[in-house]
Short mmCIF file of all heavy atoms in Angstrom, two decimals:
data_model
loop_
_atom_site.label_atom_id
_atom_site.label_comp_id
_atom_site.label_asym_id
_atom_site.label_seq_id
_atom_site.Cartn_x
_atom_site.Cartn_y
_atom_site.Cartn_z
N MET A 1 107.12 106.30 107.37
CA MET A 1 105.77 106.72 107.40
C MET A 1 104.78 105.55 107.11
O MET A 1 103.68 105.48 107.72
CB MET A 1 105.55 107.79 106.25
CG MET A 1 106.12 109.13 106.61
SD MET A 1 105.46 109.88 108.11
CE MET A 1 103.80 110.22 107.67
N MET A 2 105.21 104.57 106.30
CA MET A 2 104.37 103.35 106.13
C MET A 2 104.29 102.61 107.48
O MET A 2 103.26 101.96 107.75
CB MET A 2 104.96 102.49 105.04
CG MET A 2 104.02 101.42 104.59
SD MET A 2 102.43 101.89 103.88
CE MET A 2 102.95 102.38 102.19
N TRP A 3 105.34 102.50 108.23
CA TRP A 3 105.33 101.89 109.54
C TRP A 3 104.31 102.56 110.47
O TRP A 3 103.67 101.90 111.25
CB TRP A 3 106.68 101.77 110.13
CG TRP A 3 107.57 100.67 109.57
CD1 TRP A 3 108.61 100.73 108.75
CD2 TRP A 3 107.25 99.29 109.75
NE1 TRP A 3 109.10 99.50 108.49
CE2 TRP A 3 108.31 98.54 109.08
CE3 TRP A 3 106.34 98.50 110.41
CZ2 TRP A 3 108.36 97.21 109.05
CZ3 TRP A 3 106.35 97.13 110.45
CH2 TRP A 3 107.40 96.49 109.75
N ARG A 4 104.27 103.87 110.38
CA ARG A 4 103.24 104.54 111.22
C ARG A 4 101.84 104.14 110.78
O ARG A 4 101.03 103.88 111.69
CB ARG A 4 103.37 106.10 111.03
CG ARG A 4 104.59 106.75 111.76
CD ARG A 4 104.67 108.23 111.43
NE ARG A 4 103.57 108.96 111.89
CZ ARG A 4 103.45 109.48 113.14
NH1 ARG A 4 104.41 109.29 114.02
NH2 ARG A 4 102.44 110.16 113.57
N LEU A 5 101.54 104.01 109.53
CA LEU A 5 100.29 103.50 109.14
C LEU A 5 100.04 102.11 109.60
O LEU A 5 98.98 101.81 110.23
CB LEU A 5 100.24 103.47 107.57
CG LEU A 5 98.97 102.97 106.90
CD1 LEU A 5 98.85 103.62 105.49
CD2 LEU A 5 98.92 101.48 106.72
N LEU A 6 100.96 101.20 109.51
CA LEU A 6 100.75 99.78 109.85
C LEU A 6 100.58 99.64 111.42
O LEU A 6 99.80 98.82 111.88
CB LEU A 6 101.92 98.94 109.45
CG LEU A 6 102.02 98.59 107.93
CD1 LEU A 6 103.26 97.96 107.60
CD2 LEU A 6 100.75 97.82 107.49
N MET A 7 101.34 100.49 112.19
CA MET A 7 101.17 100.45 113.69
C MET A 7 99.76 100.87 114.13
O MET A 7 99.21 100.41 115.06
CB MET A 7 102.21 101.30 114.34
CG MET A 7 103.67 100.71 114.18
SD MET A 7 103.83 99.14 115.06
CE MET A 7 105.45 98.57 114.49
N ARG A 8 99.14 101.82 113.32
CA ARG A 8 97.78 102.17 113.58
C ARG A 8 96.79 101.04 113.28
O ARG A 8 95.75 100.98 113.97
CB ARG A 8 97.34 103.40 112.79
CG ARG A 8 97.91 104.76 113.38
CD ARG A 8 97.31 105.94 112.75
NE ARG A 8 97.78 106.20 111.43
CZ ARG A 8 98.79 106.96 111.09
NH1 ARG A 8 99.47 107.55 112.11
NH2 ARG A 8 99.18 107.20 109.89
N ARG A 9 97.13 100.19 112.39
CA ARG A 9 96.32 99.04 112.06
C ARG A 9 96.34 97.94 113.09
O ARG A 9 95.47 97.05 113.09
CB ARG A 9 96.67 98.40 110.73
CG ARG A 9 96.58 99.36 109.51
CD ARG A 9 95.15 99.77 109.19
NE ARG A 9 95.01 100.48 107.97
CZ ARG A 9 95.14 101.85 107.88
NH1 ARG A 9 95.43 102.58 108.98
NH2 ARG A 9 95.11 102.43 106.75
N ASN A 10 97.35 98.04 114.01
CA ASN A 10 97.44 97.00 114.99
C ASN A 10 98.05 97.68 116.35
O ASN A 10 99.22 97.59 116.59
CB ASN A 10 98.25 95.90 114.65
CG ASN A 10 98.38 94.73 115.68
OD1 ASN A 10 99.41 94.48 116.22
ND2 ASN A 10 97.26 94.01 115.84
N PRO A 11 97.18 98.38 117.08
CA PRO A 11 97.64 99.05 118.27
C PRO A 11 98.26 98.19 119.35
O PRO A 11 99.12 98.59 120.12
CB PRO A 11 96.43 99.69 118.82
CG PRO A 11 95.46 99.79 117.72
CD PRO A 11 95.74 98.57 116.87
N THR A 12 98.00 96.87 119.30
CA THR A 12 98.60 95.98 120.32
C THR A 12 100.00 95.51 119.83
O THR A 12 100.68 94.80 120.66
CB THR A 12 97.73 94.69 120.49
OG1 THR A 12 97.68 94.01 119.26
CG2 THR A 12 96.35 95.03 120.92
N LYS A 13 100.36 95.96 118.65
CA LYS A 13 101.74 95.66 118.20
C LYS A 13 102.02 94.21 118.12
O LYS A 13 103.17 93.71 118.45
CB LYS A 13 102.87 96.43 119.08
CG LYS A 13 102.61 97.86 119.32
CD LYS A 13 102.66 98.59 118.04
CE LYS A 13 102.64 100.13 118.37
NZ LYS A 13 101.37 100.69 118.91
N SER A 14 101.10 93.45 117.56
CA SER A 14 101.26 92.00 117.35
C SER A 14 101.58 91.79 115.79
O SER A 14 100.76 91.83 115.02
CB SER A 14 100.00 91.20 117.66
OG SER A 14 100.13 89.85 117.38
N PHE A 15 102.86 91.65 115.57
CA PHE A 15 103.34 91.63 114.19
C PHE A 15 104.28 90.46 113.94
O PHE A 15 105.08 90.07 114.78
CB PHE A 15 104.22 92.83 113.84
CG PHE A 15 103.41 94.15 113.54
CD1 PHE A 15 102.73 94.86 114.53
CD2 PHE A 15 103.31 94.58 112.24
CE1 PHE A 15 102.04 95.91 114.23
CE2 PHE A 15 102.56 95.72 111.91
CZ PHE A 15 101.90 96.44 112.89
N THR A 16 104.28 89.91 112.74
CA THR A 16 105.32 89.05 112.22
C THR A 16 105.95 89.81 111.01
O THR A 16 105.29 90.11 109.97
CB THR A 16 104.78 87.71 111.72
OG1 THR A 16 104.15 87.02 112.80
CG2 THR A 16 106.00 86.88 111.23
N VAL A 17 107.18 90.22 111.18
CA VAL A 17 107.86 91.06 110.15
C VAL A 17 108.94 90.22 109.58
O VAL A 17 109.81 89.64 110.30
CB VAL A 17 108.50 92.27 110.90
CG1 VAL A 17 109.29 93.06 109.87
CG2 VAL A 17 107.37 93.12 111.48
N VAL A 18 108.92 90.09 108.29
CA VAL A 18 109.94 89.25 107.66
C VAL A 18 110.65 90.12 106.49
O VAL A 18 109.95 90.88 105.74
CB VAL A 18 109.36 87.88 107.03
CG1 VAL A 18 108.94 87.01 108.12
CG2 VAL A 18 108.26 88.28 106.00
N GLY A 19 111.91 89.90 106.35
CA GLY A 19 112.70 90.57 105.31
C GLY A 19 114.17 90.28 105.45
O GLY A 19 114.59 89.52 106.29
N ASP A 20 114.88 91.07 104.61
CA ASP A 20 116.30 90.88 104.51
C ASP A 20 116.90 92.31 104.27
O ASP A 20 116.68 92.80 103.21
CB ASP A 20 116.75 89.91 103.43
CG ASP A 20 118.21 89.73 103.40
OD1 ASP A 20 118.93 90.15 104.32
OD2 ASP A 20 118.69 89.17 102.44
N VAL A 21 117.63 92.87 105.21
CA VAL A 21 118.12 94.21 105.03
C VAL A 21 119.21 94.29 103.91
O VAL A 21 119.39 95.42 103.39
CB VAL A 21 118.67 94.80 106.39
CG1 VAL A 21 117.56 95.00 107.34
CG2 VAL A 21 119.73 93.87 106.94
N ALA A 22 119.69 93.17 103.52
CA ALA A 22 120.70 93.26 102.41
C ALA A 22 119.98 93.30 101.04
O ALA A 22 120.66 93.54 100.05
CB ALA A 22 121.52 91.92 102.49
N GLN A 23 118.64 93.15 101.05
CA GLN A 23 117.94 93.19 99.81
C GLN A 23 117.08 94.52 99.71
O GLN A 23 116.24 94.68 98.81
CB GLN A 23 116.95 91.97 99.70
CG GLN A 23 117.71 90.72 99.64
CD GLN A 23 116.69 89.51 99.40
OE1 GLN A 23 116.00 89.52 98.48
NE2 GLN A 23 116.85 88.54 100.31
N THR A 24 117.34 95.47 100.56
CA THR A 24 116.65 96.76 100.56
C THR A 24 116.94 97.54 99.26
O THR A 24 118.08 97.83 99.06
CB THR A 24 116.94 97.64 101.74
OG1 THR A 24 116.61 96.85 102.97
CG2 THR A 24 116.07 98.89 101.78
N SER A 25 115.99 97.92 98.51
CA SER A 25 116.22 98.72 97.30
C SER A 25 115.49 100.07 97.32
O SER A 25 115.94 101.03 96.72
CB SER A 25 115.80 97.97 95.99
OG SER A 25 114.37 97.65 96.03
N SER A 26 114.45 100.18 98.07
CA SER A 26 113.76 101.40 98.24
C SER A 26 114.56 102.45 98.96
O SER A 26 115.17 102.15 99.99
CB SER A 26 112.45 101.19 98.97
OG SER A 26 111.87 102.44 99.34
N PRO A 27 114.67 103.61 98.42
CA PRO A 27 115.49 104.75 99.08
C PRO A 27 114.86 105.12 100.44
O PRO A 27 115.51 105.65 101.28
CB PRO A 27 115.43 105.87 98.09
CG PRO A 27 114.18 105.60 97.27
CD PRO A 27 114.10 104.12 97.15
N ALA A 28 113.56 104.73 100.62
CA ALA A 28 112.91 105.07 101.90
C ALA A 28 112.94 103.86 102.84
O ALA A 28 112.41 103.88 103.96
CB ALA A 28 111.47 105.48 101.67
N GLY A 29 113.58 102.77 102.35
CA GLY A 29 113.62 101.53 103.22
C GLY A 29 114.63 101.59 104.28
O GLY A 29 115.19 102.62 104.54
N THR A 30 114.83 100.40 104.89
CA THR A 30 115.81 100.44 106.09
C THR A 30 116.87 99.45 105.89
O THR A 30 116.81 98.44 105.11
CB THR A 30 114.94 100.03 107.37
OG1 THR A 30 115.78 100.23 108.49
CG2 THR A 30 114.56 98.61 107.32
N THR A 31 117.97 99.68 106.65
CA THR A 31 119.05 98.72 106.73
C THR A 31 119.23 98.29 108.24
O THR A 31 120.26 97.70 108.50
CB THR A 31 120.33 99.29 106.21
OG1 THR A 31 120.67 100.55 106.93
CG2 THR A 31 120.28 99.66 104.79
N SER A 32 118.26 98.58 109.04
CA SER A 32 118.40 98.33 110.49
C SER A 32 116.91 98.08 111.07
O SER A 32 116.14 99.03 111.11
CB SER A 32 119.12 99.39 111.25
OG SER A 32 118.86 99.20 112.69
N TRP A 33 116.63 96.87 111.49
CA TRP A 33 115.33 96.64 112.09
C TRP A 33 115.16 97.41 113.42
O TRP A 33 114.10 97.94 113.65
CB TRP A 33 115.11 95.11 112.41
CG TRP A 33 115.18 94.25 111.21
CD1 TRP A 33 116.06 93.29 110.92
CD2 TRP A 33 114.24 94.33 110.08
NE1 TRP A 33 115.73 92.70 109.67
CE2 TRP A 33 114.65 93.28 109.19
CE3 TRP A 33 113.10 95.12 109.78
CZ2 TRP A 33 113.99 93.03 108.00
CZ3 TRP A 33 112.42 94.84 108.59
CH2 TRP A 33 112.92 93.88 107.73
N THR A 34 116.14 97.61 114.15
CA THR A 34 116.15 98.30 115.34
C THR A 34 115.75 99.78 115.07
O THR A 34 114.83 100.38 115.78
CB THR A 34 117.49 98.27 116.08
OG1 THR A 34 117.76 96.96 116.44
CG2 THR A 34 117.47 99.09 117.43
N ALA A 35 116.43 100.38 114.06
CA ALA A 35 116.14 101.79 113.74
C ALA A 35 114.69 102.00 113.34
O ALA A 35 114.04 103.00 113.71
CB ALA A 35 117.09 102.29 112.67
#
């Protein structure tokens, strides 16, 4: 749902996304960038 919000902030989809799926602690977070 937070990604839906962010995509509305940039309809052209120009993003730099940084992170590490091994460090995900939020239960709503991701373990796959593709997903």
Side-chain angles (χ1 to χ4, degrees):
M1 290 301 294
M2 189 63 80
W3 279 110
R4 286 177 64 89
L5 178 156
L6 289 173
M7 290 294 169
R8 282 194 284 269
R9 298 296 186 271
N10 183 250
T12 62
K13 308 297 189 292
S14 177
F15 278 77
T16 300
V17 175
V18 295
D20 180 13
V21 292
Q23 299 184 54
T24 305
S25 61
S26 169
T30 188
T31 57
S32 167
W33 297 119
T34 300

